[in-house]
Amino acid sequence: MGVVTPGFTGRARGANPRLPPGQYLAEDFPVLSAGPTPRVSAERWEFAVVTERGERRSWSWPELMALPSEKITVDIHCVTQWSKLDTHWRGVPVDALVGDLETAADYVMAHSYGGYTTNLPLADLLNGKAWIAYEYGGKPLTPEHGGPARLLVPHLYLWKSAKWVRELRLATKDDPGFWEAAGYHDYGDPWREQRYQGD
Amino acid sequence: MAGTAVSGRLAWRVARLAEIRQETPTARTLVFDIPGWPGHLAGQHVDVRLTAADGYTAQRSYSLAAPANGDRIELTVQRVADGEVSEHLTGPYAIGDPVEIRGPIGGWFVWRPADTAPVLLVAGGAGIVPLMAMIRARREAGSKALFRLVYSLRTPEELYYAAELRRPYAGLDITYVYTRELPEGQSGIPRRIDVPTLNTAAWPADFGATTYICGPTGFVETAADIMLALGHSPQSIRTERFGPSRD
């Protein structure tokens, strides 16, 4: 047990089994990002997957909209300690976008409009674990929350769910992305409290 | 986009409250003794962990308000209505009481004394905290980098670091924007941060300045959009947001 602070009793009792350690429930939807919010119109939006050998597949906004989408209800967890339960999204599973590409890659670097990057193991994006999400709470995703489309990887801390996602680049080597290079954990599992390097 | 690499596990350290400075009726600066503190950059933050007698813990992130002074660090905590941690830190928490702290964290929203580019700081309310650390780091280092601060607050009563900011300091220009109530004797009407304010206060876009914006989400969105509209590059604008979003 840690060092007790006299007089501190805490209030978030009745521990919710769906809250990972160190997290608290947020009613609102806080926004965290490193720079200005990119404004990307659906008209000039394009999303691509690039393999480690340079093979590239891309989708325009109408092309993405034409793909079968899924309704997703998930809990999300931010490294800054807030979590939201039962958030509602709509998006295209990453499987549908990466599925038929030939690749031996184990890793992915997600690139965003605005220059943000984050790295993930490819396996964490497949088999129904991740989406390119374009609706939140039944409405188009707002720019603050990554609209028109963001990556959604709910089982990892939210900085892995790159907002304004533009490209998934497959790679055989794991390189750190933006926050990972700044000291955040390479993987980011909320249940193991992988916040910073070495956690 | 180079960051500050953190090597090894960030250790929780025991910190004890050494001094309290009341900034406003609802915010106080807490000065901690934290043996073994490794130092930090202006703009970085820490995680603070409180533990109850039965082992229950709660942790939150707070910006560092000043450069490290040996084993001393400062945080400024604003009481949040129903804030589990902030209500304790701005209330019963007393001199000598321990908390656990780990950090420093963050390598992007930082200012380094070796940076010579002009700087614009844009603060919304409690967003002044990491920006004040930059102002203090500049002063401590004897830096000649030109600083401008735009500080938006609801009423004069909410001004943090009042005595220090009111003392004129060469190379630091301050513009206050009051959104609800003006200081006594000042003419005009309260307003929010807008294009004319930033057009006047910001450095011209071709000066190679860096802009740091910190505040509630809506404020940061507005200020960053204005800076982009004034021709500043997205790469020159660094943001830190807190609090509820607009929707």
Side-chain angles (χ1 to χ4, degrees), chain B residues 64-157:
Chain B
L64 290 148
N69 173 13
D71 284 346
R72 288 212 153 175
I73 64 166
E74 296 185 17
L75 310 179
T76 304
V77 178
Q78 163 87 48
R79 185 186 307 145
V80 178
D82 216 29
E84 182 186 25
V85 171
S86 70
E87 279 190 354
H88 187 81
L89 293 179
T90 56
Y93 189 53
I95 301 293
D97 284 356
V99 290
E100 286 172 291
I101 289 179
R102 71 172 182 164
I105 298 155
W108 172 243
F109 196 83
V110 296
W111 180 79
R112 295 173 167 83
D115 295 347
T116 54
V119 167
L120 175 68
L121 308 172
V122 185
I128 187 66
V129 177
L131 306 181
M132 193 64 193
M134 297 179 190
I135 290 169
R136 289 167 165 167
R138 171 189 182 276
R139 190 173 54 209
E140 226 169 64
S143 160
K144 298 278 191 289
L146 293 172
F147 270 41
R148 289 176 175 178
L149 167 66
V150 178
Y151 186 176
S152 170
L153 58 168
R154 277 181 289 203
T155 67
E157 194 188 43

Side-chain angles (χ1 to χ4, degrees), chain A residues 1 3-5 7-8 10-13 24 28-29 31-35 37 39 81 178 182 184 196-197 199, chain B residues 1 6 8-10 14 47 51-52 54-56 59-60 82-84 98 100 102 105 108 221 225 239 241 244-245:
Chain A
M1 189 169 100
V3 176
V4 171
T5 300
F8 178 69
R11 277 191 281 104
R13 296 307 173 127
Y24 67 92
D28 54 8
F29 193 165
V31 173
L32 283 174
S33 34
T37 296
R39 309 281 159 175
Q81 271 108 33
F178 178 78
Y184 284 76
Y196 314 118
Q197 277 177 36
D199 276 353
Chain B
M1 291 196 177
V6 177
R9 192 186 168 94
L10 273 175
V14 177
D47 284 351
T51 301
D54 64 357
Y56 171 82
Q59 75 186 53
R60 298 289 184 274
D82 216 29
E84 182 186 25
E100 286 172 291
R102 71 172 182 164
I105 298 155
W108 172 243
E221 290 290 316
D225 285 350
T239 62
R241 299 160 164 87
S245 64

Side-chain angles (χ1 to χ4, degrees), chain A residues 86-141:
Chain A
D86 293 326
T87 59
H88 300 289
W89 307 77
R90 179 182 287 281
V92 175
V94 173
D95 300 273
L97 304 164
V98 174
D100 54 355
L101 281 168
E102 214 168 286
T103 179
D106 287 326
Y107 302 100
V108 176
M109 186 72 84
H111 290 258
S112 297
Y113 290 91
Y116 178 77
T117 56
T118 189
N119 59 308
L120 306 107
L122 178 57
D124 283 84
L125 296 185
L126 300 179
N127 296 313
K129 287 201 282 249
W131 296 265
I132 302 299
Y134 53 80
E135 272 182 29
Y136 174 74
K139 291 187 199 139
L141 194 59

Side-chain angles (χ1 to χ4, degrees), chain B residues 222-238:
Chain B
T222 301
D225 285 350
I226 293 172
M227 292 302 289
L228 291 176
L230 292 175
H232 293 261
S233 71
Q235 294 74 30
S236 72
I237 303 168
R238 301 181 184 207

Side-chain angles (χ1 to χ4, degrees), chain A residues 2 57 80 87 99 130 151:
Chain A
R57 280 204 60 188
T80 60
T87 59
L151 188 60

